[in-house]
Amino acid sequence: MPSQTSPSPVCPGCGGPARSVADTVADPAPPHADVADLTDRLAKAPAVASRGTTALHAGEGLIMAGVGLALAHGGLTGHATVPLVGGLLLALIALAGTALVVRNETRGRAAVTAGEARAEALWQPAYHCPGCASVFCPGGEPWQGRLTPEQFRKLVWTEAGYGGELEEGARAALVPPGTLPRPRGAQDHV
Ligand SMILES: [Zn+2]
């Protein structure tokens, strides 16, 4: 759904019409063949597991641990060593794995929540030009220049504090120095 609040700005690179990044991500309209992954390339934040998904993973892990304990209990009452040891091992691995998954998912969610406002401030005003595949902010506010979608995503994610979540390939993108103006306070004392 196109936004009706502002007129479409013209791309400073090729002079073509640009769409806001928010609209582009919400509806990566054809005519370009490579739009399929635009939503990912311009994403404001990494996809994180919802609370419900984490609860589901925890539930699955606990069921596995329960199966292991039942097996171990059967081994104990039947004086069989293999199911006893195997069951205990299964329970331990299930619990450790579940703890790790739950911790990682919770951390990822917390990082995205913590950086949300900062990411939003850099991401929301940005426009994407489908003609030359560049991202820019009309008027150079709050950041200036033209970036590739990869550079743009790195800028947003890094500033939001979850740059570490970028895939290895995406980390290689270099954001040109001066894209983000220095905070005013830093220049006042010169
Ligand atoms: Zn352009």
PDB file of all heavy atoms in Angstrom, residues 72-86:
ATOM      1  N   ALA A  72      15.105 -43.528  31.369  1.00  0.00           N
ATOM      2  CA  ALA A  72      16.035 -43.798  32.468  1.00  0.00           C
ATOM      3  C   ALA A  72      15.314 -44.487  33.618  1.00  0.00           C
ATOM      4  O   ALA A  72      15.842 -45.418  34.245  1.00  0.00           O
ATOM      5  CB  ALA A  72      16.660 -42.483  32.931  1.00  0.00           C
ATOM      6  N   HIS A  73      14.089 -44.046  33.888  1.00  0.00           N
ATOM      7  CA  HIS A  73      13.312 -44.640  34.977  1.00  0.00           C
ATOM      8  C   HIS A  73      13.024 -46.106  34.683  1.00  0.00           C
ATOM      9  O   HIS A  73      13.153 -46.977  35.572  1.00  0.00           O
ATOM     10  CB  HIS A  73      12.002 -43.869  35.158  1.00  0.00           C
ATOM     11  CG  HIS A  73      11.181 -44.374  36.304  1.00  0.00           C
ATOM     12  ND1 HIS A  73      10.052 -45.136  36.114  1.00  0.00           N
ATOM     13  CD2 HIS A  73      11.345 -44.257  37.644  1.00  0.00           C
ATOM     14  CE1 HIS A  73       9.554 -45.461  37.300  1.00  0.00           C
ATOM     15  NE2 HIS A  73      10.321 -44.939  38.244  1.00  0.00           N
ATOM     16  N   GLY A  74      12.690 -46.369  33.421  1.00  0.00           N
ATOM     17  CA  GLY A  74      12.454 -47.758  33.003  1.00  0.00           C
ATOM     18  C   GLY A  74      13.713 -48.596  33.203  1.00  0.00           C
ATOM     19  O   GLY A  74      13.651 -49.730  33.676  1.00  0.00           O
ATOM     20  N   GLY A  75      14.857 -48.025  32.870  1.00  0.00           N
ATOM     21  CA  GLY A  75      16.127 -48.735  33.027  1.00  0.00           C
ATOM     22  C   GLY A  75      16.430 -48.999  34.488  1.00  0.00           C
ATOM     23  O   GLY A  75      16.907 -50.079  34.861  1.00  0.00           O
ATOM     24  N   LEU A  76      16.088 -48.008  35.330  1.00  0.00           N
ATOM     25  CA  LEU A  76      16.359 -48.111  36.767  1.00  0.00           C
ATOM     26  C   LEU A  76      15.527 -49.244  37.382  1.00  0.00           C
ATOM     27  O   LEU A  76      16.046 -50.087  38.118  1.00  0.00           O
ATOM     28  CB  LEU A  76      16.033 -46.773  37.424  1.00  0.00           C
ATOM     29  CG  LEU A  76      16.596 -46.538  38.824  1.00  0.00           C
ATOM     30  CD1 LEU A  76      18.114 -46.511  38.769  1.00  0.00           C
ATOM     31  CD2 LEU A  76      16.072 -45.225  39.380  1.00  0.00           C
ATOM     32  N   THR A  77      14.231 -49.261  37.086  1.00  0.00           N
ATOM     33  CA  THR A  77      13.354 -50.276  37.680  1.00  0.00           C
ATOM     34  C   THR A  77      13.640 -51.651  37.092  1.00  0.00           C
ATOM     35  O   THR A  77      13.479 -52.656  37.769  1.00  0.00           O
ATOM     36  CB  THR A  77      11.865 -49.909  37.467  1.00  0.00           C
ATOM     37  OG1 THR A  77      11.682 -49.620  36.082  1.00  0.00           O
ATOM     38  CG2 THR A  77      11.469 -48.711  38.291  1.00  0.00           C
ATOM     39  N   GLY A  78      14.084 -51.673  35.813  1.00  0.00           N
ATOM     40  CA  GLY A  78      14.367 -52.955  35.183  1.00  0.00           C
ATOM     41  C   GLY A  78      15.823 -53.382  35.358  1.00  0.00           C
ATOM     42  O   GLY A  78      16.229 -54.381  34.787  1.00  0.00           O
ATOM     43  N   HIS A  79      16.585 -52.650  36.126  1.00  0.00           N
ATOM     44  CA  HIS A  79      18.005 -52.917  36.349  1.00  0.00           C
ATOM     45  C   HIS A  79      18.768 -53.053  35.035  1.00  0.00           C
ATOM     46  O   HIS A  79      19.629 -53.905  34.895  1.00  0.00           O
ATOM     47  CB  HIS A  79      18.204 -54.174  37.208  1.00  0.00           C
ATOM     48  CG  HIS A  79      17.575 -54.043  38.556  1.00  0.00           C
ATOM     49  ND1 HIS A  79      18.085 -53.247  39.551  1.00  0.00           N
ATOM     50  CD2 HIS A  79      16.446 -54.591  39.060  1.00  0.00           C
ATOM     51  CE1 HIS A  79      17.312 -53.303  40.610  1.00  0.00           C
ATOM     52  NE2 HIS A  79      16.298 -54.107  40.336  1.00  0.00           N
ATOM     53  N   ALA A  80      18.408 -52.203  34.054  1.00  0.00           N
ATOM     54  CA  ALA A  80      19.104 -52.238  32.761  1.00  0.00           C
ATOM     55  C   ALA A  80      19.944 -50.974  32.651  1.00  0.00           C
ATOM     56  O   ALA A  80      19.447 -49.861  32.821  1.00  0.00           O
ATOM     57  CB  ALA A  80      18.091 -52.303  31.618  1.00  0.00           C
ATOM     58  N   THR A  81      21.208 -51.140  32.377  1.00  0.00           N
ATOM     59  CA  THR A  81      22.130 -50.004  32.380  1.00  0.00           C
ATOM     60  C   THR A  81      21.973 -49.134  31.128  1.00  0.00           C
ATOM     61  O   THR A  81      22.003 -47.919  31.223  1.00  0.00           O
ATOM     62  CB  THR A  81      23.588 -50.489  32.456  1.00  0.00           C
ATOM     63  OG1 THR A  81      23.648 -51.488  33.469  1.00  0.00           O
ATOM     64  CG2 THR A  81      24.523 -49.357  32.790  1.00  0.00           C
ATOM     65  N   VAL A  82      21.797 -49.794  29.960  1.00  0.00           N
ATOM     66  CA  VAL A  82      21.784 -49.029  28.708  1.00  0.00           C
ATOM     67  C   VAL A  82      20.644 -48.004  28.667  1.00  0.00           C
ATOM     68  O   VAL A  82      20.894 -46.817  28.429  1.00  0.00           O
ATOM     69  CB  VAL A  82      21.767 -49.974  27.492  1.00  0.00           C
ATOM     70  CG1 VAL A  82      21.556 -49.183  26.211  1.00  0.00           C
ATOM     71  CG2 VAL A  82      23.068 -50.753  27.405  1.00  0.00           C
ATOM     72  N   PRO A  83      19.394 -48.404  28.923  1.00  0.00           N
ATOM     73  CA  PRO A  83      18.336 -47.379  28.907  1.00  0.00           C
ATOM     74  C   PRO A  83      18.516 -46.351  30.018  1.00  0.00           C
ATOM     75  O   PRO A  83      18.167 -45.183  29.842  1.00  0.00           O
ATOM     76  CB  PRO A  83      17.045 -48.177  29.093  1.00  0.00           C
ATOM     77  CG  PRO A  83      17.437 -49.555  29.419  1.00  0.00           C
ATOM     78  CD  PRO A  83      18.869 -49.761  29.067  1.00  0.00           C
ATOM     79  N   LEU A  84      19.094 -46.756  31.142  1.00  0.00           N
ATOM     80  CA  LEU A  84      19.295 -45.808  32.242  1.00  0.00           C
ATOM     81  C   LEU A  84      20.274 -44.714  31.821  1.00  0.00           C
ATOM     82  O   LEU A  84      19.970 -43.519  31.890  1.00  0.00           O
ATOM     83  CB  LEU A  84      19.837 -46.552  33.475  1.00  0.00           C
ATOM     84  CG  LEU A  84      20.276 -45.664  34.654  1.00  0.00           C
ATOM     85  CD1 LEU A  84      19.090 -44.874  35.207  1.00  0.00           C
ATOM     86  CD2 LEU A  84      20.899 -46.495  35.765  1.00  0.00           C
ATOM     87  N   VAL A  85      21.430 -45.125  31.325  1.00  0.00           N
ATOM     88  CA  VAL A  85      22.460 -44.152  30.928  1.00  0.00           C
ATOM     89  C   VAL A  85      22.002 -43.369  29.703  1.00  0.00           C
ATOM     90  O   VAL A  85      22.115 -42.144  29.648  1.00  0.00           O
ATOM     91  CB  VAL A  85      23.804 -44.876  30.655  1.00  0.00           C
ATOM     92  CG1 VAL A  85      24.812 -43.901  30.067  1.00  0.00           C
ATOM     93  CG2 VAL A  85      24.327 -45.501  31.931  1.00  0.00           C
ATOM     94  N   GLY A  86      21.458 -44.088  28.713  1.00  0.00           N
ATOM     95  CA  GLY A  86      20.993 -43.431  27.488  1.00  0.00           C
ATOM     96  C   GLY A  86      19.903 -42.418  27.782  1.00  0.00           C
ATOM     97  O   GLY A  86      19.905 -41.303  27.254  1.00  0.00           O
TER      98      GLY A  86
END
